[in-house]
């Protein structure tokens, strides 16, 4: 497998084999390693010394390995200034794997203001002009590219948010059934790609499979069984998607509501997974869609608004940040906001956070879905208020003079209020990525390693729980596989068996966790060299000072516990026996 | 002398005597000490645990002590997140001193959205409603206050920028001859005051003098001599103001031009002190005005535009950041921009930096003074683009996607390009305030302590020069006296003699420097606890990577030298003999 470096300054393309000792490097492990080794920590995220790395994982291209085609995008974040990895589903990871590509590295700065695209095909990897696509949003862009280059392409691209280098701009990846609805959303990956002048990466679809496998038969056997288990155990995701969590999190009293000023949203029922499913059924949408080839979980849906607008996959975070957090209980309005984010290439989480902040600042009323749609439309127009909203929650708060900033390291909180889900608060505070639930999500009843107190409002054990979920999720991120296969002990054990079959080496639960632990420590070390200290691993003060209605919890996990997660905890502490 | 605490939550006013061991605490020494001791380092700058301290100095109220009525405003900066002190001239410091007040501390958060004012008079200190003044800018505000409360008042106030809690909002202080043209400009002091709901502090003028003096006769003798020396040695400031530097700095090749992309401005002559003086003479303006009672330097002017607009005091930083840095060589346009900043309550430095960034982003053309005026007018209107510009250069750069960010710790650089004036670069990088020339300004030929290489483009000795000027300037800031009395060895020696006469204790050059050194270390310690590390004591990478036309220097002072300034250098190193 190889890494391909594209120098955007002079247009040269260089291929480089992955060294044997790094044969397993992929996904977040590859992006974070390259950022840590090659990007000066004080480089400007949009400057000439920054790099953008797009990496798939070990099993990309092998459609029989379930959920294995995730696409990681790594860089120094334009939003946070920390190291950054965000990953997306979609089909690009799979097809890139079939060209023997583990990673693409975008380097330098373009010599002019022209947009370019990278075309990956059997003719090699070429940098082409994309000026005809300038100013297009993602939906129009993929349609135009398919018109020009054929239907059989997978596309990684940015919309107008990335073109403007907005801090909440995402990188979109086309879903297995076509639309650009999968996003490496967090931290401004789209801005980083935009700074490199790359509008799209177009990958010709290709049959075959990905990298070499040591024991194909054993791999097939394991994957068949694992896929069956995933299919059977994830019925709720197929039925309701991640939206199944809206009602329970609101009932728990931990759902971001009106800029994190309440934990229960009186309109939760109307934007719940159940309500959505009913509406989808009434209007002829779809459930149980796969975003990447060979997914047995199929958590994606297709929502249809009353006016016929089709929205590809409305997920929990979008429903809640764009919904409850903005006081909006109109499902169609929320779905349209999500569709606009996908189209413009914007992180729905930080966009919802920014709109909530704008509402707190009085620019519009909480609950006004129509005004929120008008406000969001400004992002694509490039207006000043659009740029503020497209810069995410933390920047919007500073520009608008709002003191309740729902962010850590300048990245917006996900929709789980850390006062009601304290383990999530630990993850927000301590992950090197800035607030990010996907870095290790202690949602209710999700177990860590061993017997831990899972009561979400009890502070006991939440540092351990966050650590466990961060390393287990990190292991999945490093393999480029979907976190919905886990993260839990049994899942990581599955992946260890699959890794053993694929590589012919002995991979264990412990070894995978050690890789993840080391990867996270590499990321923390980059952040330290970039000027981040333990003081940045804290939640904003109002989560400690202001009890969350209706149940009244505050975030009360002490600094020492937080610092243990990034400092003293090790895999050896958490996995006492060699598993 | 006393400190007065105003609790904005419940309206209580508490007086507290300065303890004897802190009898000399004033100005920046008092504000930084209170912030460091009382504000949690991770408090939000606009939140309930932050405080705003307004402090005058040891000699405030004694009009015969030259230049001694500076007003410091300290807080945790809404712009930088660091500790912050900015100080202004004007007459408020003097009159507060005559009420026995060394400092006012604004605490808590108001219970409602009403604006209030603090009235200091012989009837005591009262918190009154100021809702009738909401939405007024500084010029209208002081007129309205004088209409309502009498002409014989000195006023400290915020305009619409501070009301909006914009990160570049300043605190204005009325000048000795009336207009609100003196500003504690840097770092968003106006936003911090705005968050406390305080629109103005109105001080009835009062005769008499300030705090107790041990040897009045000796003080009078010293001050008479010192004032004569200042008057004689500062003729250039009286004739041309600080604007005398425009031409020489441009000729040196170190003048911020078009967002710091060049060091010589072809239009420098047209916005120079010489051109301004000629225009002032032609149009009936004034030179040599004192901003505070008893100033023998009198660097202020009054400029008159062709259309009759009167602008109180056009200074070097305003001329250059709003002029050369925006490519504007139209003196009337620059003067109007400065007038608008004073009126709205905005730092001219960060505002000029932000407009330059907006020009680099293509929102308007470099050199278009009329469009710049229209853009700046948006700040007072509260529009989105106004809020971006009013947030300063660093935030504007991030929102507008500009990678050449002229800022350190998110505070905009002054108009001295650090490539051409390397000692200034050291100060920008290392002062705990964020980029700030007033923290210790190695402008050409300004000596430090002992024999140092003063060649501004030679990196040798610039760490020592910056350290020397930071501690000498810090000593003046701690005394609440004007830095235009120095900063140089002989000036600090003067102040030591004056301190000895005032206190009856032995004050020396070394002792004053030690106070300043300790004060700066206290500030650095606060910053460390707030999450700032040595990695923040760096210039943006483009100052190292991109040579500055026309002479081509880069900033090439290494990290070790920078870290010495904040770490290992001591007064003992720099003052080998006990002076």
């Amino acid at each position: 497998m190889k890494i391909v470096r594209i120098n955007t300054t002079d247009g040269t393309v260089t291929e480089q084999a992955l060294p044997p000792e790094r044969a397993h490097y992929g996904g977040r492990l590859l992006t974070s390693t390259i950022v840590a080794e090659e990007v000066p920590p004080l480089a400007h995220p949009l400057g000439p010394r920054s790099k953008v790395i797009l990496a798939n994982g070990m099993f990309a291209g092998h459609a029989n390995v379930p959920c294995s085609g995730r696409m990681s995008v790594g860089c120094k974040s334009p939003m946070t200034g920390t190291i950054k990895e965000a990953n997306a589903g979609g089909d690009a990871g799979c097809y890139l794997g079939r060209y023997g590509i583990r990673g693409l590295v975008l380097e330098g700065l373009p010599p002019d203001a022209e947009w370019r695209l990278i075309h990956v095909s059997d003719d090699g990897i070429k940098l082409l002009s994309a000026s005809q696509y300038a100013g297009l949003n993602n939906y129009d862009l993929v349609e135009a590219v398919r018109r020009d280059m054929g239907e059989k392409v997978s596309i990684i691209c940015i919309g107008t948010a990335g073109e403007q280098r907005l801090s909440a701009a995402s990188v979109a990846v086309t879903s297995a059934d076509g639309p650009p609805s999968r996003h490496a959303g967090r931290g401004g990956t789209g801005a980083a790609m935009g700074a490199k002048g790359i509008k799209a990466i177009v990958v010709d679809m290709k049959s075959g499979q990905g990298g070499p496998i040591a024991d194909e038969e054993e791999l097939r056997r394991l994957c068949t069984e694992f896929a069956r288990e995933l299919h059977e155990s994830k019925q709720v995701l197929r039925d309701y998607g991640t939206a199944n969590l809206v009602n329970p999190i609101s009932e728990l009293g931990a759902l971001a509501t009106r800029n994190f000023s309440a934990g229960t949203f009186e309109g939760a029922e109307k934007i719940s997974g159940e309500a959505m499913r009913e509406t989808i059924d009434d209007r002829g949408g779809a459930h149980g869609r796969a975003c990447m080839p060979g997914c047995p979980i199929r958590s994606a849906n297709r929502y249809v608004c009353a006016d016929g607008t089709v929205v590809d996959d409305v997920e929990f975070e979008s429903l809640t940040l764009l919904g409850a957090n903005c006081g909006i209980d109109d499902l169609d309005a929320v779905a349209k906001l999500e569709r606009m984010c996908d189209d413009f290439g914007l992180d729905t989480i930080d966009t919802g956070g920014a709109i909530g902040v704008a509402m707190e600042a009085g620019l519009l009323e909480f609950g006004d879905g129509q005004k929120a749609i008008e406000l969001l439309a400004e992002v694509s127009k490039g207006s000043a208020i659009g740029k503020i909203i497209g810069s995410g929650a933390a920047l919007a708060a500073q520009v608008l003079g709002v003191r309740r900033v729902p962010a850590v390291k300048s990245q917006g909180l996900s929709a789980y209020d850390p006062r009601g889900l304290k383990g999530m608060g630990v993850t927000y505070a301590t992950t090197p990525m800035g607030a990010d639930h996907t870095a290790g999500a202690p949602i209710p009843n999700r177990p860590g390693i061993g017997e831990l107190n899972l009561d979400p409002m009890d502070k006991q054990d939440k540092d351990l729980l966050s650590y466990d979920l961060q390393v287990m999720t990190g292991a999945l991120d490093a393999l480029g596989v979907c976190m919905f296969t886990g993260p839990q002990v049994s899942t990581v054990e599955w992946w260890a068996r699959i890794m053993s079959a694929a590589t012919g080496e002995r991979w264990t639960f412990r070894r995978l966790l050690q890789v993840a632990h080391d990867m996270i420590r590499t990321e923390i070390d980059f952040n330290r060299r970039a000027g981040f200290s333990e003081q940045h691993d804290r939640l904003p003060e109002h989560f400690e000072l202001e009890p969350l209605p209706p149940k009244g919890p505050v975030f009360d996990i002490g600094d020492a516990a937080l610092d243990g997660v990034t400092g003293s905890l090790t895999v050896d502490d958490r996995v006492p026996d060699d598993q």
Side-chain angles (χ1 to χ4, degrees), chain A residues 66-110:
Chain A
C67 313
S68 65
R70 299 289 294 183
M71 197 72 224
S72 287
V73 186
C75 58
K76 177 172 175 175
S77 165
M79 172 176 276
T80 65
T82 65
I83 201 166
K84 171 58 56 187
E85 185 265 2
N87 61 65
D91 57 0
C94 173
Y95 295 116
L96 280 172
R98 291 183 182 165
Y99 288 97
I101 295 173
R102 184 68 58 75
L104 297 167
V105 185
L106 313 182
E107 304 183 327
L109 280 188

Side-chain angles (χ1 to χ4, degrees), chain A residues 49 166 239 264 369 415 430 459 468 525 547:
Chain A
R49 303 191 298 173
L166 297 180
D239 289 345
T264 295
T430 60
K459 66 182 174 180
D468 292 354
D525 176 66

Side-chain angles (χ1 to χ4, degrees), chain A residues 274-541:
Chain A
E274 293 80 353
M276 188 162 65
R277 183 181 169 88
E278 201 171 309
T279 312
I280 286 175
D281 287 345
D282 284 354
R283 295 181 184 161
H287 315 280
R289 296 166 63 218
C291 83
M292 62 174 66
C295 173
I297 299 176
R298 307 206 310 264
S299 69
N301 57 47
R302 177 180 289 134
Y303 181 84
V304 184
C305 299
D307 66 4
T309 307
V310 173
V311 185
D312 294 288
D313 201 16
V314 182
E315 291 187 289
F316 172 80
E317 296 299 335
S318 309
L319 278 169
T320 49
L321 266 308
L322 296 164
N325 187 56
C326 297
I328 301 174
D329 63 6
D330 173 348
L331 194 50
D332 277 16
V334 176
K336 285 178 185 177
L337 289 166
E338 142 106 50
R339 173 67 158 67
M340 293 166 79
C341 286
D342 283 357
D343 197 26
F344 304 163
L346 270 183
D347 178 21
T348 57
I349 296 178
D350 249 298
T351 303
I355 296 173
V357 161
M359 287 171 162
E360 176 147 340
L363 269 66
L364 67 172
E365 296 285 319
F366 280 113
D368 191 338
Q370 191 49 44
K371 277 283 196 315
I373 288 171
E374 289 167 21
L375 178 64
L376 183 53
E378 294 295 319
V379 176
S380 187
K381 294 179 188 165
S383 73
I385 187 64
K387 287 178 188 293
I388 293 171
I389 298 300
S391 293
L395 248 76
Q398 189 166 356
V399 174
L400 299 177
V402 169
R403 71 176 177 84
R404 290 192 184 88
V405 188
V408 175
K409 300 184 184 77
S410 302
Q411 183 168 282
L413 266 55
S414 313
Y416 307 92
D417 194 297
R419 288 165 287 196
L421 270 165
K422 294 184 182 179
M424 188 69 87
V426 177
T427 296
Y428 290 156
T430 60
T431 165
M433 296 296 154
D436 181 359
H437 69 290
T438 72
I443 54 177
N445 306 318
R446 177 170 287 167
I449 299 167
E451 294 292 318
L452 296 175
N453 177 340
L454 299 181
D455 176 354
M457 293 200 195
D458 187 316
K459 66 182 174 180
Q460 196 197 339
D461 287 351
K462 296 308 172 299
D463 50 341
L464 304 180
L465 185 60
S466 173
Y467 175 84
D468 292 354
L469 288 162
Q470 287 194 53
V471 289
M472 288 197 286
T473 310
L476 307 185
D477 290 344
L479 295 176
V481 301
C482 182
M483 66 177 273
F484 290 174
T485 64
Q488 61 207 28
V489 173
S490 62
T491 304
V492 181
E493 286 171 344
W494 266 115
W495 284 115
R497 287 195 286 277
I498 292 169
M499 275 293 280
S500 298
T503 61
E505 294 176 14
R506 179 164 183 262
W507 280 87
T508 60
F509 177 71
R510 177 192 280 269
R511 184 176 173 191
L512 271 180
L513 259 47
Q514 192 63 52
V515 165
H517 175 96
D518 294 345
M519 172 185 80
I520 294 170
R521 287 297 185 275
T522 297
E523 294 165 347
I524 291 171
D525 176 66
F526 178 89
N527 289 353
R528 293 283 179 270
R529 290 183 286 125
F532 290 83
S533 56
E534 290 177 337
Q535 283 82 0
H536 296 93
D537 297 335
R538 302 287 181 261
L539 292 182
E541 64 176 356

Side-chain angles (χ1 to χ4, degrees), chain A residues 229-244:
Chain A
E229 185 179 304
L230 288 170
H231 183 82
E232 284 166 7
S233 63
K234 306 281 178 175
Q235 184 69 40
V236 66
L237 283 173
R238 212 146 46 247
D239 289 345
Y240 300 103
T242 52
N244 77 83

Side-chain angles (χ1 to χ4, degrees), chain A residues 110-116:
Chain A
D112 52 35
E114 293 304 304
W115 291 100
R116 292 181 176 76

